[in-house]
Amino acid sequence: MILNIAAFPAEILRKKAEPVEEITEEIKTLIADMIETLYNAKGYGLAAPQVNRSLRIFVVDRNGGKSVVREPEVFINPEITAFSGEIIADEGCLSLPGEFAPVKRYAKVTLTALNEKGESVILEAVEQRARALQHEMDHLNGVLFLDHLPSFRKDTIKKHIKRRIQSGDYPQII
Ligand code: NI
């Protein structure tokens, strides 16, 4: 089932998400729906708070959503355990559709999490993939890419969104 994606400034996007205690059938359904929603929106990654569930789960496409082959990866209760270097590149978010800005991130991260089967996984990622993991991790802590920008740039994007809302050129904030 395709889920509604919460758009900035929806409050859910600012909440710290709760850990998943057990991978129940309900959680499995949520994960399947998140994957369907991610590909439907042609995104790179999607975190549970973006579909109005305040849980520490995100899904990322292994190929950055750029390949015809869909390779979704699921991360439950993830933690970034090591990081190094830095990269700056344009970043966007399904919860701020059409808005992009350069964001500084670590160039390399190590992530530990559970997969959808409840198995522990450790992943090392670099560049774009490392960026995606950091972006989705942020969502679980109520942080958006906007928060990494200098205040003048953040204000410009906020004003732009306000104008878009007024002109009806912005998704429903749910
Ligand atoms: Ni996002």
Side-chain angles (χ1 to χ4, degrees):
M1 188 170 76
I2 293 164
L3 306 170
N4 287 321
I5 298 178
F8 174 84
E11 272 176 37
I12 185 98
L13 297 172
R14 292 311 198 173
K15 268 181 78 178
K16 189 174 160 74
E18 296 294 324
V20 174
E21 304 287 348
E22 194 189 340
I23 303 170
T24 59
E25 286 306 311
E26 195 199 342
I27 294 287
K28 287 180 188 167
T29 302
L30 171 64
I31 290 168
D33 289 346
M34 284 173 65
I35 291 169
E36 196 180 340
T37 304
L38 171 70
Y39 288 110
N40 180 64
K42 299 183 169 60
Y44 191 161
L46 183 71
Q50 292 181 275
V51 291
N52 287 289
R53 296 294 304 273
S54 201
L55 289 168
R56 302 188 80 77
I57 304 172
F58 66 73
V59 296
V60 179
D61 181 71
R62 201 186 160 86
N63 308 306
K66 301 268 186 282
S67 169
V68 287
V69 183
R70 293 179 173 188
E71 290 189 81
E73 295 181 298
V74 177
F75 301 100
I76 300 167
N77 299 340
E79 306 248 9
I80 289 175
T81 53
F83 49 82
S84 61
E86 90 186 23
I87 41 168
I88 298 175
D90 261 3
E91 206 165 302
C93 179
L94 291 175
S95 293
L96 290 106
E99 304 291 335
F100 300 90
V103 179
K104 187 159 80 175
R105 298 282 188 185
Y106 298 117
K108 182 179 174 186
V109 296
T110 305
L111 184 110
T112 63
L114 299 176
N115 65 15
E116 65 276 27
K117 294 175 199 147
E119 300 160 342
S120 290
V121 290
I122 300 177
L123 181 79
E124 272 196 4
V126 296
E127 298 180 8
Q128 277 303 99
R129 197 154 177 242
R131 170 176 300 282
L133 297 176
Q134 290 168 81
H135 177 111
E136 300 311 326
M137 266 310 296
D138 271 357
H139 275 303
L140 307 187
N141 296 320
V143 175
L144 299 170
F145 80 82
L146 285 183
D147 305 325
H148 295 281
L149 304 178
S151 59
F152 75 93
R153 211 181 262 275
K154 186 172 175 173
D155 288 346
T156 305
I157 291 182
K158 279 184 174 174
K159 279 183 199 144
H160 188 224
I161 289 173
K162 211 169 177 181
R163 279 206 307 275
R164 288 178 61 196
I165 291 170
Q166 282 163 356
S167 66
D169 171 38
Y170 193 75
Q172 209 183 343
I173 298 149
I174 39 123

